[in-house]
């Protein structure tokens, strides 16, 4: 009986350590970028090291000036926003994760090109260019 208790306790401790290690080693400096460009939508998704979050947020704020979204690197966003030039897009962001989606039917070509250029710049920021 005591042996099975210690085995179960050991397994729980080992599992907890493994889950914690996986959580804190997430992305480990790896960058994953995905772009999907259809007739109706432009979608940009990125997964990156959490310590790059501030640089990404600063670049987004710079790109959408005079508007701004982020005030802290610990901000979590899941919003649809409209900029001063009537560009309307969706942003979902958390440390180390970013998704931007633009509905081409609701935006002008200039708005699409602005968001696409911003996303290309985000890729360059993540790659250290």
């Amino acid at each position: 009986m005591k042996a099975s208790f210690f085995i179960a306790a050991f397994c729980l401790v080992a599992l907890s350590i493994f889950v914690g290690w996986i959580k804190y080693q997430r992305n480990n400096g790896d960058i994953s970028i995905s772009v999907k460009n259809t007739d109706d939508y432009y979608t940009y998704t990125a997964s990156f090291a959490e310590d790059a979050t501030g640089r990404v947020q600063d670049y987004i704020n710079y790109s959408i000036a005079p508007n701004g979204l982020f005030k802290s690197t610990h901000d979590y966003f899941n919003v649809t926003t409209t900029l001063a030039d009537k560009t309307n897009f969706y942003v979902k962001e958390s440390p180390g994760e970013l998704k931007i989606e633009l509905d081409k039917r609701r935006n002008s070509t200039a708005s699409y090109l602005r968001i696409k250029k911003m996303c290309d710049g985000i890729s360059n920021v993540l790659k250290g260019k």
Side-chain angles (χ1 to χ4, degrees):
M1 180 80 171
K2 279 187 174 184
S4 63
F5 172 77
F6 287 118
I7 291 172
F10 174 76
C11 288
L12 284 174
V13 169
L15 180 63
S16 297
I17 290 170
F18 177 74
V19 168
W21 179 76
I22 290 296
K23 180 180 179 185
Y24 291 106
Q25 292 297 318
R26 191 180 96 208
N27 293 329
N28 198 20
D30 293 337
I31 300 169
S32 173
I33 297 171
S34 170
V35 177
K36 185 175 181 184
N37 198 356
T38 66
D39 290 340
D40 296 330
Y41 288 94
Y42 175 81
T43 305
Y44 178 89
T45 308
S47 178
F48 48 90
E50 289 183 14
D51 61 352
T53 301
R55 292 191 318 270
V56 169
Q57 291 176 343
D58 289 345
Y59 184 80
I60 291 171
N61 281 340
Y62 167 78
S63 296
I64 64 172
N67 301 92
L69 287 176
F70 306 103
K71 298 189 187 304
S72 163
T73 58
H74 303 292
D75 287 347
Y76 288 76
F77 273 90
N78 189 0
V79 298
T80 299
T81 188
T82 303
L83 304 180
D85 68 354
K86 306 291 189 237
T87 300
N88 181 281
F89 64 103
Y90 168 78
V91 179
K92 183 175 182 180
E93 189 273 338
S94 62
E97 301 287 330
L98 175 67
K99 178 178 182 180
I100 297 174
E101 187 172 82
L102 176 97
D103 184 342
K104 292 179 181 178
R105 298 167 297 181
R106 297 182 64 199
N107 288 282
S108 67
T109 301
S111 293
Y112 159 70
L113 293 173
R114 179 179 186 185
I115 297 300
K116 184 177 182 315
K117 181 180 177 183
M118 179 182 74
C119 292
D120 291 341
I122 293 168
S123 296
N124 290 335
V125 166
L126 291 173
K127 294 174 185 175
K129 294 182 180 178

